[in-house]
Amino acid sequence: MASNRKNAQRARPVSRRRFLEDAGSVAALGAATTALGPFAQPAMAQTDLRKQILAIPGVDKGSPTDADWQKVGELCLGATKANVAAGEFKGVELTFMGLNNQNLHNLLFRGFLKPWETYTGAKISWIDLAQADYNPRLQQAIATGTVDFDVLEMGAPFEGDVCGKGLASEMPDWVKKQVEIDDYVDYLKPPVGTWNGKTYRVTIDGDCHNFNYRTDIFSDRALAQAWKAAGGLGEWAVPKTWQQVQAATKFLKGKKIGGKDAWGYLDAPKPWGGFGFYFLGSRATAYAKHPDDKAWLFDVDTMKPRINNPAWVRAIQDVVDALPAEPPDQLNADPGTAAFQQFLAGTGSMLSWWGDVGSMARTSDTSVIGKIIAFDILPGSDDVYNAKTGAWDKLASGPNYAPNCAYLGWGIYVMARVNGDAKKHKAAWSAAAHLGGKDLSLWTVMYPSGFQVYRTSHSNVDEWVAAGYPREYISSYLKSQFGSYNHPNRAVEPRIPGIFQYYSVAEDELAKVFAGRLDAKTGADNIAKAWEGITDRLGRANQIALYKASLGS
């Protein structure tokens, strides 16, 4: 973290930023659109408080600092003060476990909660985990019965492991009111955040992978001429299908724009603690998620894996085929590298990622692409695999789109171990409610935090524009987010026990495929065999029942 913003400003790669921003001034925004349908209407009146916090530090004014986080946290204490008396939690000590990924998550929570600690009298100690270490650390605590934390940052996919085993504390009604839980987007409402009808989660994030692309690359006349001369199909334009992504990526190898390499799509093949599997998923959903079938990871009646069907094998092969046309050593790029060290820093022209990229492009010191980036839902496919018939279908409506609602977002969970202490129980839930507050949430989704939009009220374009985001830019971004959440064929992962056991095994096998040690089908078959073993160990009948419930079947 920068000690102050002036130092951060001096550290920026100014010449590179200036080059890219100049390029952006003449680039068209391609497929970006200002139409948001029902989401264009203001969700609530702009309050003075929301205006005040959104000016800290201001869009396009560099990365926020710890002082900014503390100031925002203090300004958003109103809801806490309505439910908690000053000094009410004096003597309470809480342990909080979460991520320190990209110097975000827990580090922001510290800043947001320092004024909460000062007001309430409680003290918090922290367990900080890297993304790749998160799942092993959590699973160890679950397996050994050594939960050594009171508050946990966790994603909904783990609810089967944690809530299903009675390790979490049920949310009190006063917390539901404080966080205004009805404002969550529909796909993050129950059953997400619940188990057996009880609510456990304060949502602080909504997740989908969207498509980020460079407008200067796809509006460049020289590249358009070269594309035509090379016999490229159609006009040189932003890809709308994965078939077009593949073609553009292979075409761009060796090409230049403004004297710099114009790379295509950026894959993230390096394992990332199970989280890297989502990036193969984003290549696969358009192939594997049929509009007539809710399932796409397993057969719903048997839990037979689909990871080795033709749709998934095609997605795996796509990565194998694209890697030689991607930047050198891309094989060793994990998702964090691809997003923050490559794409935001000006390498590559296409990337699938969570919504962090769109907000950080305009609010992070490391970004040089803020004026030459636009967004869409994930690419589609010319055809989609029908797992029920074993055939590839071409839809009368055109390409199949199936946005990957990867991970269902981070939330804050209070552990059941506080239930026997009323004071500690209320303190833990108050801390969680502060982090999940409606006003604070708007700040976190606009600035670097690790979180993306998850409330209906986040769709108010005017609030984003007032904060400093260009209207065309933010309309494109929000359309990619809400268009994914509300897509009729969205791919939502199952909240079943052991989901990251499945993902972690898959990452290990995929690494062998991407390194050339196995072919795509053999690697996929190995994953399927391992997944069958996991299902049998966890109990097939129970997994089937929970899988059906997660799909609404």
Side-chain angles (χ1 to χ4, degrees):
M1 292 181 296
S3 58
N4 61 67
R5 195 166 301 110
K6 290 183 179 178
N7 288 339
Q9 293 275 5
R10 284 196 288 267
R12 294 180 195 168
V14 177
S15 60
R16 194 176 191 193
R17 178 188 289 271
R18 182 171 297 123
F19 157 72
L20 287 167
E21 290 186 347
D22 287 345
S25 68
V26 297
L29 270 173
T33 175
T34 59
L36 279 172
F39 299 104
Q41 299 302 317
M44 62 172 288
Q46 286 185 325
T47 66
D48 290 340
L49 171 62
R50 288 163 79 88
K51 290 179 180 178
Q52 187 176 4
I53 63 175
L54 295 182
I56 304 171
V59 174
D60 289 327
K61 294 185 179 179
S63 297
T65 65
D66 182 63
D68 294 323
W69 303 332
Q70 291 189 47
K71 188 173 182 181
V72 171
E74 183 174 10
L75 289 168
C76 292
L77 272 178
T80 295
K81 292 178 179 179
N83 287 318
V84 178
E88 183 176 337
F89 302 144
K90 185 177 181 180
V92 172
E93 296 184 4
L94 299 171
T95 300
F96 191 117
M97 189 169 93
L99 293 186
N100 60 0
N101 200 40
Q102 297 296 324
N103 286 332
L104 302 174
H105 293 260
N106 266 14
L107 299 188
L108 275 74
F109 296 157
R110 279 176 169 83
F112 294 150
L113 284 169
K114 279 182 181 177
W116 178 89
E117 291 178 275
T118 299
Y119 173 77
T120 67
K123 298 298 179 185
I124 300 175
S125 59
W126 299 86
I127 300 173
D128 301 323
L129 300 172
Q131 189 101 33
D133 299 330
Y134 180 87
N135 179 52
R137 176 65 167 82
L138 179 59
Q139 295 300 335
Q140 179 187 34
I142 295 169
T144 60
T146 54
V147 173
D148 56 350
F149 41 86
D150 305 301
V151 185
L152 173 67
E153 179 193 20
M154 185 181 81
F158 291 103
E159 287 174 354
D161 294 318
V162 174
C163 304
K165 295 182 179 178
L167 299 176
S169 174
E170 183 180 0
M171 181 188 292
D173 288 340
W174 65 266
V175 175
K176 296 178 184 178
K177 294 178 182 177
Q178 181 171 325
V179 301
E180 299 185 51
I181 203 167
D182 290 339
D183 187 38
Y184 296 167
V185 294
D186 285 346
Y187 108 100
L188 293 176
K189 290 179 179 178
V192 172
T194 71
W195 203 262
N196 290 332
K198 297 180 179 180
T199 301
Y200 293 98
R201 158 177 157 134
V202 172
T203 294
I204 58 168
D205 177 33
D207 274 340
C208 65
H209 277 189
N210 66 325
F211 188 57
N212 308 271
Y213 62 89
R214 288 264 300 271
T215 57
D216 59 332
I217 297 288
F218 293 105
S219 61
D220 186 81
R221 292 182 179 180
L223 289 175
Q225 291 173 353
W227 171 260
K228 185 175 182 179
L233 295 178
E235 298 297 320
W236 177 244
V238 179
K240 292 294 184 182
T241 65
W242 283 109
Q243 289 86 354
Q244 293 170 357
V245 169
Q246 288 292 92
T249 298
K250 293 175 182 179
F251 163 75
L252 284 170
K253 183 180 181 180
K255 301 295 190 300
K256 302 277 186 181
I257 181 170
K260 307 236 180 233
D261 291 326
W263 299 104
Y265 187 78
L266 299 177
D267 280 297
K270 185 178 178 180
W272 209 36
F275 290 88
F277 181 74
Y278 289 114
F279 292 81
L280 174 65
S282 287
R283 273 190 173 270
T285 51
Y287 301 153
K289 174 63 179 70
H290 197 285
D292 296 334
D293 190 350
K294 291 182 179 181
W296 56 287
L297 276 175
F298 304 91
D299 287 344
V300 70
D301 293 318
T302 64
M303 279 294 290
K304 178 183 177 183
R306 293 187 179 180
I307 186 69
N308 60 339
N309 74 13
W312 282 92
V313 172
R314 180 196 278 184
I316 297 169
Q317 189 63 48
D318 275 359
V319 180
V320 173
D321 293 344
L323 281 172
E326 297 182 27
D329 202 33
Q330 195 67 22
L331 181 65
N332 291 313
D334 64 25
T337 298
F340 304 114
Q341 297 177 33
Q342 292 183 305
F343 191 72
L344 286 176
T347 296
S349 59
M350 296 173 282
L351 176 78
S352 298
W353 229 83
W354 289 286
D356 311 61
V357 170
S359 58
M360 291 183 70
R362 304 291 304 214
T363 59
S364 169
D365 292 335
T366 61
S367 172
V368 299
I369 61 168
K371 294 185 179 179
I372 50 172
I373 179 177
F375 316 93
D376 206 343
I377 65 171
L378 289 177
S381 171
D382 295 332
D383 52 4
V384 57
Y385 185 69
N386 189 327
K388 295 178 179 178
T389 65
W392 287 93
D393 292 344
K394 286 201 171 186
L395 306 179
S397 58
N400 182 59
Y401 292 92
N404 183 16
C405 291
Y407 195 58
L408 297 169
W410 292 101
I412 305 296
Y413 299 76
V414 173
M415 296 296 99
R417 75 179 200 154
V418 307
N419 286 348
D421 184 331
K423 188 175 180 180
K424 193 171 187 178
H425 177 269
K426 185 177 180 182
W429 276 111
S430 177
H434 178 58
L435 293 179
K438 186 174 181 178
D439 295 325
L440 183 63
S441 77
L442 184 62
W443 191 95
T444 63
V445 301
M446 285 198 188
Y447 288 99
S449 66
F451 313 118
Q452 68 192 74
V453 296
Y454 66 92
R455 290 175 175 270
T456 300
S457 58
H458 292 159
S459 62
N460 183 352
V461 173
D462 289 340
E463 283 195 310
W464 293 76
V465 173
Y469 281 93
R471 185 172 294 275
E472 193 167 21
Y473 176 100
I474 203 57
S475 295
S476 170
Y477 174 72
L478 291 177
K479 185 184 179 188
S480 76
Q481 301 294 297
F482 288 100
S484 298
Y485 294 157
N486 296 294
H487 198 281
N489 196 37
R490 64 181 180 266
V492 180
E493 68 183 305
R495 296 181 310 132
I496 55 175
I499 191 65
F500 265 72
Q501 294 180 44
Y502 295 103
Y503 293 168
S504 295
V505 165
E507 279 193 347
D508 292 342
E509 289 300 316
L510 289 169
K512 299 173 188 176
V513 175
F514 299 149
R517 293 160 53 194
L518 296 174
D519 63 79
K521 184 62 167 66
T522 299
D525 286 340
N526 290 347
I527 296 169
K529 182 178 180 180
W531 282 13
E532 290 277 43
I534 293 170
T535 298
D536 287 334
R537 287 197 301 274
L538 294 174
R540 187 171 297 269
N542 188 57
Q543 292 294 86
I544 290 171
L546 292 173
Y547 185 42
K548 286 183 175 180
S550 73
L551 294 175
S553 300

